[in-house]
Amino acid sequence: MIYLKRKIDGFLLKWKESPDHKPLIIKGARQVGKTESILRFARNNYNSVIYINFVEEPQYKKICEGGYKADIIVKNISRIDPSKEFKERDTLIFFDELQEFPDIATSLKFFKQDGRFDVICSGSLLGISYKRIESNSVGYKTDYELFSLDFEEFLWAKGYDDSVIEDMLSHMRSLTAFSGLELSVYEEIFLDYCILGGMPAVVRMYIEGNTFEGTLQTQRQLLEDYKEDVRKYAEGVDQTRILNVFNRIPVQLARDNKKFQISKVAKDARFKDYRGCIEWLEDAGIINLCHCLNYPELPLKGNYDDTKYKIYMRDTGLLVAMLDDEAQEDLRANRNLGVYKGALYENIVGDALTKSGYTLYYYKKENSTLEEDFFLRTKESLLPVEVKSTNGMAKSLRSLIKNENYSDIQYGLKLIRGNIGYENNVFTFPYFCTFLLKRYLAEVTY
């Protein structure tokens, strides 16, 4: 089975090389590749790897019964399995499926103070119990969130190296259009990525077979697994309501007004009854929320209405797998990404921005047609981002730039299926460049 190179690989090496590194907690949705990446790193960098899976080996939930100090836990692990070797300065203890036993996080403080062994914790749905984990290990851990593959990692899987990514970035820096061949090749690969998404099992099937065969079935099985997680882990929240929200995401994104409306989820549905359900899906790493700004100005944090938002799937491939059969056929056979009124384009961009570390915001002016899809903070200003299914006029973008009332906005950014360009303070980039925006904006001054 091929290993898919991931960005977490480099992060883990830097973490180990840091002389004062803390225990590490890696969270993310199910099946995004956490366990595989951690075990590969562990086996390549330690002589002894202690792997404990709290789902498959529930007996290890007793290792803290005598206390949380490193000596006690090591002794209790050895008591359960005497074959496990603890070599000082050369052992990684990997606690997997942490959501099944969040109490183990209390031990991280003591493992850090002890200093003889490295510790990594991981699990799906950690956001659900993260407040408990946070309180148990504050100040004694490092956090990392793993997503499904982004487009850069997908390019790696396809055999492209970093020189190709650097060449893309150089085109953006110099605003030099891609050649017809470059544009054609990158758009074709990007369309494949949009349909497949970045779930490792799906990408690996596609890479190994050089075909889409079986990928849709795998995606739909992952969606069923997510629903099963709702039924298994949702406590104190109405599971039916969570599933109602989950199932309605594609339908609501397909509307002209993509704002998620609770009233459309079920008869007599009210926001206060569903708020916890939406937070559950976000904490589980299944959805991205895009909040509506009160006003398009800095600062962004806190400047939004928490009752108005759009909901995007965190992996666009899974959104595609949720579409009806007619849309599936149009998308896969005809390569028509404009299906669902541009919803897929927005989801793709939202997915890429989230994986780059951005929080998502949009703006819709009351009683007006003025609406902007996303906003990014640059060094100097606020940059509105418009997602276009065609390379047409960006009226809202131009209005924001020209209007003196929006003093934080001098430039805009348009993402299209097309080439690089610049006109009237609007920078235009192809969709496949979205993953590079953070690096690009760090180098330029707007």
Side-chain angles (χ1 to χ4, degrees):
M1 183 174 72
I2 63 169
Y3 177 75
L4 300 173
K5 178 185 173 184
R6 304 296 304 276
K7 293 180 179 178
I8 191 176
D9 300 341
F11 171 82
L12 289 170
L13 286 172
K14 288 180 181 178
W15 170 77
K16 184 180 189 300
E17 291 166 0
S18 174
D20 193 37
H21 59 266
K22 301 174 182 178
L24 182 61
I25 292 183
I26 297 175
K27 64 177 181 174
R30 67 147 60 230
Q31 301 297 320
V32 295
K34 299 182 296 297
T35 299
E36 181 183 17
S37 294
I38 297 166
L39 283 177
R40 184 176 185 272
F41 157 77
R43 289 162 181 161
N44 287 340
N45 291 278
Y46 296 86
N47 275 317
S48 180
V49 178
I50 310 299
Y51 176 60
I52 294 173
N53 184 309
F54 290 118
V55 169
E56 296 175 358
E57 304 166 300
Q59 67 270 27
Y60 283 98
K61 294 180 182 179
K62 298 179 180 179
I63 59 177
C64 297
E65 287 185 353
Y68 293 98
K69 289 189 175 180
D71 276 339
I72 295 171
I73 290 173
V74 168
K75 184 185 294 184
N76 286 337
I77 291 172
S78 298
R79 184 173 290 136
I80 294 171
D81 183 357
S83 69
K84 294 190 186 301
E85 287 187 89
F86 290 86
K87 299 178 180 180
E88 293 188 16
R89 315 290 175 186
D90 202 10
T91 295
L92 177 72
I93 304 172
F94 176 16
F95 295 117
D96 203 3
E97 302 294 358
L98 181 59
Q99 77 281 355
E100 287 287 327
F101 188 53
D103 281 356
I104 193 64
T106 303
S107 71
L108 299 184
K109 171 183 178 180
F110 300 101
F111 273 108
K112 172 59 181 167
Q113 292 172 340
D114 181 90
R116 290 176 295 159
F117 311 109
D118 287 348
V119 180
I120 295 179
C121 299
S122 182
S124 305
L125 303 142
L126 282 190
I128 308 306
S129 47
Y130 207 65
K131 290 177 183 176
R132 184 175 167 191
I133 293 170
E134 182 75 32
S135 64
N136 288 349
S137 54
V138 62
Y140 293 94
K141 64 177 176 59
T142 298
D143 296 303
Y144 185 95
E145 185 166 9
L146 184 65
F147 302 97
S148 62
L149 279 77
D150 67 8
F151 186 52
E152 184 170 12
E153 292 170 318
F154 189 78
L155 285 169
W156 292 343
K158 291 280 289 182
Y160 293 90
D161 61 22
D162 289 339
S163 66
V164 174
I165 283 85
E166 180 58 33
D167 183 65
M168 284 184 182
L169 188 56
S170 69
H171 276 79
M172 297 172 71
R173 290 190 194 106
S174 61
L175 295 178
T176 303
F178 292 100
S179 70
L181 176 62
E182 289 172 324
L183 197 64
S184 174
V185 169
Y186 295 150
E187 282 185 346
E188 189 71 14
I189 297 170
F190 189 69
L191 276 171
D192 285 352
Y193 173 69
C194 294
I195 294 169
L196 293 161
M199 300 303 281
V202 178
V203 175
R204 184 177 288 112
M205 183 178 292
Y206 161 78
I207 296 294
E208 290 180 339
N210 196 28
T211 174
F212 285 83
E213 182 180 350
T215 56
L216 178 58
Q217 290 86 343
T218 301
Q219 288 169 321
R220 286 182 168 168
Q221 182 57 56
L222 287 168
L223 290 169
E224 289 304 313
D225 291 343
Y226 280 175
K227 292 176 185 178
E228 184 59 35
D229 281 341
V230 172
R231 289 184 277 268
K232 182 177 180 180
Y233 291 104
E235 299 174 359
V237 183
D238 190 319
Q239 297 175 4
T240 301
R241 287 176 177 166
I242 294 176
L243 293 173
N244 282 344
V245 171
F246 181 73
N247 290 327
R248 295 291 296 180
I249 291 171
V251 179
Q252 296 227 20
L253 278 177
R255 298 166 59 248
D256 288 323
N257 174 17
K258 295 178 177 63
K259 186 185 82 170
F260 197 87
Q261 294 180 287
I262 294 297
S263 61
K264 304 291 185 182
V265 172
K267 186 178 180 181
D268 299 325
R270 295 175 297 178
F271 176 78
K272 67 183 184 68
D273 297 326
Y274 276 82
R275 184 171 196 152
C277 304
I278 293 162
E279 289 176 352
W280 195 98
L281 287 167
E282 184 181 31
D283 287 341
I286 296 172
I287 64 170
N288 290 320
L289 287 187
C290 183
H291 293 281
C292 184
L293 293 174
N294 292 319
Y295 195 76
E297 64 181 1
L298 297 172
L300 293 174
K301 194 172 183 180
N303 173 28
Y304 64 86
D305 185 337
D306 64 3
T307 67
K308 296 178 182 178
Y309 44 80
K310 299 177 185 179
I311 297 180
Y312 299 112
M313 286 294 292
R314 193 162 283 192
D315 184 87
T316 302
L318 294 185
L319 173 64
V320 169
M322 296 172 75
L323 303 182
D324 55 64
D325 290 339
E326 290 76 18
Q328 287 283 340
E329 184 176 350
D330 194 18
L331 180 60
R332 292 170 184 271
N334 302 323
R335 315 287 280 174
N336 177 18
L337 210 62
V339 70
Y340 267 63
K341 301 179 181 177
L344 293 181
Y345 287 108
E346 280 193 34
N347 202 99
I348 289 160
V349 172
D351 180 27
L353 294 178
T354 300
K355 287 172 177 173
S356 297
Y358 286 110
T359 301
L360 304 183
Y361 301 97
Y362 77 101
Y363 179 66
K364 175 71 171 73
K365 187 175 182 180
E366 294 292 336
N367 303 316
S368 170
T369 58
L370 181 63
E371 182 172 8
E372 204 53 74
D373 299 317
F374 299 103
F375 286 84
L376 303 180
R377 172 71 195 267
T378 71
K379 293 177 183 176
E380 307 293 337
S381 61
L382 185 61
L383 188 70
V385 180
E386 189 150 328
V387 179
K388 302 288 288 184
S389 55
T390 59
N391 190 12
M393 289 182 62
K395 293 181 181 178
S396 291
L397 204 54
R398 293 184 181 183
S399 296
L400 288 169
I401 294 168
K402 291 180 178 179
N403 195 322
E404 294 180 356
N405 291 327
Y406 308 119
S407 57
D408 290 328
I409 299 172
Q410 285 85 44
Y411 297 91
L413 199 155
K414 184 169 64 170
L415 297 170
I416 64 166
R417 186 178 180 185
N419 220 322
I420 291 176
Y422 174 76
E423 185 180 13
N424 298 323
N425 287 22
V426 175
F427 295 83
T428 301
F429 295 113
Y431 288 115
F432 59 77
C433 289
T434 306
F435 77 98
L436 287 168
L437 283 178
K438 192 160 194 174
R439 273 172 265 184
Y440 168 73
L441 292 174
E443 298 178 9
V444 299
T445 302
Y446 285 167

